Amino acid sequence: MRTARRDAPEPKTLSARLLTGLAALIGLVVVGALFPGAALAQSPGSRTAGVAPAGAQAVGLHISDGRLLEGNGNDFVMRGVNHAHTWYPGETQSLADVKALGANSVRVVLSDGHRWSENGPEDVAAVIERCKANRLICVLEVHDTTGYGEDAAAGTLDHAADYWIGLKDVLAGQEDYVVVNIGNEPWGNTDPAGWTEPTMAAVKKLRAAGLRHTIMVDAPNWGQDWQGVMRAEAQSVHDADPTGNLIFSIHMYSVYDTAQEITDYLNAFVDAKLPILIGEFGGPADQYGDPDEDTMMATAEQLGLGYLAWSWSGNTDPVLDLALDFDPSRLSDWGERIFHGADGIARTSQEATVYGGGAPDTQAPTAPGTPTATAVTDTSVTLGWTAATDDTAVTGYDVVRLGDGTETTVASSTTTTATVTGLAPGTAYTFAVRARDAAGNRSAASAAVEVTTDEGGGIPGGACSVGYRVVGEWPGGFQGEIAVRNTGSTAVGPWTLAFAFADGQTVTHMWGGTATQNAGAVSVAPASYTATIPAGGTVTLGFTAQKGGTNTAPAAFSLNGAACTTT
């Protein structure tokens, strides 16, 4: 995958996936013999007729005869997308949006805490409930394992397995709705044969701990298996699961740029009656080739195999955003292809029967109470309000700024308070609050409150504000994010952002801009897609850096030579 976000530690363009020499790869290299047995898989036309063998103890979603079935024996074919929840935890509306476009599944990015901030039990439970409220099958994956053996920051499958075991109480009883994807792309291009034993060990560890869910395993070679290790070892890995409820996931990007490569790979699993789906895939061309997404989708439909497109929004490389800025009304060409094109989601998706054909949750929460303002400064204000109510549960609130007949979301919270930052000194603002539930229904706006910010402390500043945060840390390194907001009334561009590190931190990679560093001083020039910051707009820069024992945040930032306020 190309990592879904602008703040990824190693943005997954294919340069991370296809190392030196792979760009010249002509055909898929197959290691080892093909699978024994050539029995035909269930025909696509009999999707709804799959029946578990006599005596099988099916618990929710399970595997039978090489197919993914629901607990009632109904054949389930995933048609959905990937969503980068761990890096965009506030974008909970995305699940409702992909459902509204026809998806029946969503693969949700989580972190086990090795590389990024851990998604704890409460958060994971909330994700599952949102999936269920939106009648989606939820594939949960740990992303920290990406590129293990080649990327020094990657975590192990064993660590990921411990994370899932720690979530056992949250996952228990969700077997009808949840598939556990142990770890994303858990092996790089270095010694991909080393993938087999850790994968088998992780599967056995989860089963020994009592997890009964269908388990999904990703391939080595950054998920693309271009050396054929998963293809050769799939039977052994599948046999390592005493329940037999294991499905393989192949990620298809530029390695799969011909129809022959795609059909050969997928048919090898189908002929061996081993379950497989396309857990990630991309379509737009890049410097390594042009993935043949038409064949991927057509073959998946022909064989009755699932697919999950990468990815909803927030990619390091925006060409892979299905929706621009998480807005379902602004689908990219890639998004239009996935949702509305031939063999796309809208034409082929069938909702899981576990949801019983009943109506989804469409009742919105009541409006919150009128907000009150406290802690007013020259650039921020804290708002509080009385809680809304809902027929299921209120899951969050959005603070909106009102003006000229429009409203703009400026803060979100899971409690009844929020702080709005990045405001201009001595300026009047009007705010209201909307509540939302797990299905994404939003309430009517609360009554409004008017707030005028303070004049300021007399320290000159540019028409900008900067928010800086550390997203994740590991020994010797960390990942950071810088949000640069234009608080002026005119667009800014091109621009240069300047700041300084005090503890010897060194930027190693940046997306959204290009960093130049001299000792601790850092100067950032924009990327093409961040070159202009509109009035009231924000651009977000992500980076990775080396560090020592101390990691103090920069004390000041300037934009085009003018000092910015910090938030």
Side-chain angles (χ1 to χ4, degrees):
M1 56 164 268
R2 291 187 238 186
T3 301
R5 49 193 193 116
R6 298 179 181 89
D7 59 347
E10 286 296 338
K12 289 295 180 56
T13 60
L14 291 182
S15 59
R17 186 182 307 281
L18 307 174
L19 297 184
T20 303
L22 184 54
L25 183 67
I26 296 174
L28 186 67
V29 180
V30 180
V31 177
L34 292 177
F35 303 121
L40 293 177
Q42 174 183 338
S43 66
S46 61
R47 285 188 195 175
T48 58
V51 179
Q57 296 181 347
V59 179
L61 290 162
H62 63 285
I63 302 299
S64 177
D65 204 27
R67 305 292 302 172
L68 176 64
L69 308 182
E70 294 186 68
N72 63 1
N74 185 72
D75 199 76
F76 183 69
V77 180
M78 292 190 188
R79 289 287 184 265
V81 304
N82 287 262
H83 172 55
H85 171 74
T86 199
W87 307 300
Y88 296 102
E91 297 293 344
T92 54
Q93 174 66 24
S94 295
L95 299 185
D97 292 339
V98 299
K99 177 62 178 182
L101 287 165
N104 64 15
S105 312
V106 62
R107 182 171 179 257
V108 181
V109 177
L110 301 175
S111 171
D112 64 5
H114 175 83
R115 192 166 186 176
W116 301 287
S117 298
E118 179 179 338
N119 295 98
E122 291 185 2
D123 184 41
V124 176
V127 167
I128 294 172
E129 289 308 307
R130 291 188 189 104
C131 284
K132 292 166 66 175
N134 288 292
R135 306 164 73 86
L136 292 164
I137 295 301
C138 202
V139 180
L140 302 177
E141 62 105 338
V142 162
H143 212 77
D144 308 65
T145 56
T146 306
Y148 180 78
E150 186 171 349
D151 188 334
T156 65
L157 280 170
D158 187 63
H159 189 271
D162 287 340
Y163 171 74
W164 295 120
I165 292 169
L167 291 172
K168 183 177 177 181
D169 290 344
V170 170
L171 297 172
Q174 305 298 334
E175 293 85 356
D176 281 309
Y177 311 97
V178 172
V179 173
V180 175
N181 190 177
I182 306 177
N184 181 69
E185 300 176 2
W187 213 272
N189 291 325
T190 303
D191 185 28
W195 165 90
T196 305
E197 288 301 324
T199 300
M200 295 169 66
V203 170
K204 293 176 181 178
K205 190 171 189 176
L206 293 180
R207 295 309 188 203
L211 268 73
R212 302 187 296 174
H213 306 71
T214 293
I215 289 175
M216 185 181 294
V217 296
D218 285 7
N221 297 125
W222 299 86
Q224 295 200 85
D225 200 30
W226 61 269
Q227 291 176 287
V229 171
M230 185 172 83
R231 181 172 171 174
E233 298 294 337
Q235 188 67 62
S236 296
V237 173
H238 196 270
D239 292 346
D241 183 353
T243 74
N245 293 323
L246 183 146
I247 187 168
F248 295 94
S249 172
I250 183 67
H251 293 184
M252 290 187 163
Y253 293 97
S254 295
V255 165
Y256 297 91
D257 55 2
T258 70
Q260 191 71 47
E261 291 165 338
I262 295 162
T263 57
D264 282 355
Y265 196 93
L266 295 177
N267 275 292
F269 280 78
V270 171
D271 290 347
K273 306 196 84 170
L274 287 168
I276 191 168
L277 84 163
I278 307 174
E280 286 184 21
F281 67 106
D286 58 27
Q287 68 268 38
Y288 294 98
D290 187 0
D292 184 358
E293 71 275 17
D294 292 342
T295 298
M296 296 176 200
M297 297 167 71
T299 305
E301 179 63 12
Q302 176 190 1
L303 298 175
L305 304 180
Y307 66 65
L308 300 167
W310 189 272
S311 77
W312 177 239
S313 197
N315 278 283
T316 303
D317 184 350
V319 72
L320 282 174
D321 283 357
L322 296 162
L324 305 179
D325 295 324
F326 296 93
D327 184 348
S329 69
R330 299 170 61 209
L331 293 183
S332 65
D333 291 344
W334 175 226
E336 290 288 349
R337 174 69 187 89
I338 289 298
F339 287 105
H340 303 306
D343 304 305
I345 287 173
R347 301 185 188 184
T348 65
S349 176
Q350 297 179 24
E351 185 178 86
T353 60
V354 70
Y355 291 113
D361 178 9
T362 59
Q363 182 173 329
T366 62
T370 305
T372 57
T374 58
V376 179
T377 71
D378 56 340
T379 61
S380 66
V381 59
T382 298
L383 301 174
W385 55 88
T386 56
T389 60
D390 187 58
D391 61 326
T392 55
V394 173
T395 57
Y397 298 89
D398 297 321
V399 177
V400 296
R401 185 178 68 232
L402 308 177
D404 298 326
T406 63
E407 65 177 52
T408 303
T409 300
V410 293
S412 296
S413 175
T414 56
T415 67
T416 55
T417 62
T419 299
V420 183
T421 60
L423 306 178
T427 302
Y429 293 92
T430 302
F431 299 106
V433 182
R434 291 182 182 270
R436 47 187 159 76
D437 63 17
N441 300 308
R442 296 181 84 205
S443 73
S446 70
V449 62
E450 294 188 1
V451 180
T452 300
T453 53
D454 293 343
E455 292 293 338
I459 300 174
C464 57
S465 66
V466 174
Y468 176 94
R469 71 184 183 110
V470 173
V471 177
E473 293 188 78
W474 54 90
F478 71 103
Q479 177 192 336
E481 180 184 272
I482 305 171
V484 185
R485 181 175 176 80
N486 176 6
T487 58
S489 58
T490 60
V492 174
W495 50 265
T496 301
L497 180 72
F499 61 93
F501 285 120
D503 301 315
Q505 300 99 319
T506 303
V507 175
T508 55
H509 186 81
M510 177 171 283
W511 46 102
T514 301
T516 303
Q517 186 166 351
N518 182 9
V522 181
S523 177
V524 180
S528 60
Y529 57 91
T530 60
T532 300
I533 313 176
T538 301
V539 298
T540 302
L541 312 172
F543 66 95
T544 54
Q546 297 175 345
K547 70 175 182 68
T550 305
N551 190 19
T552 306
F557 296 83
S558 66
L559 191 69
N560 290 344
C564 300
T565 58
T566 57
T567 59

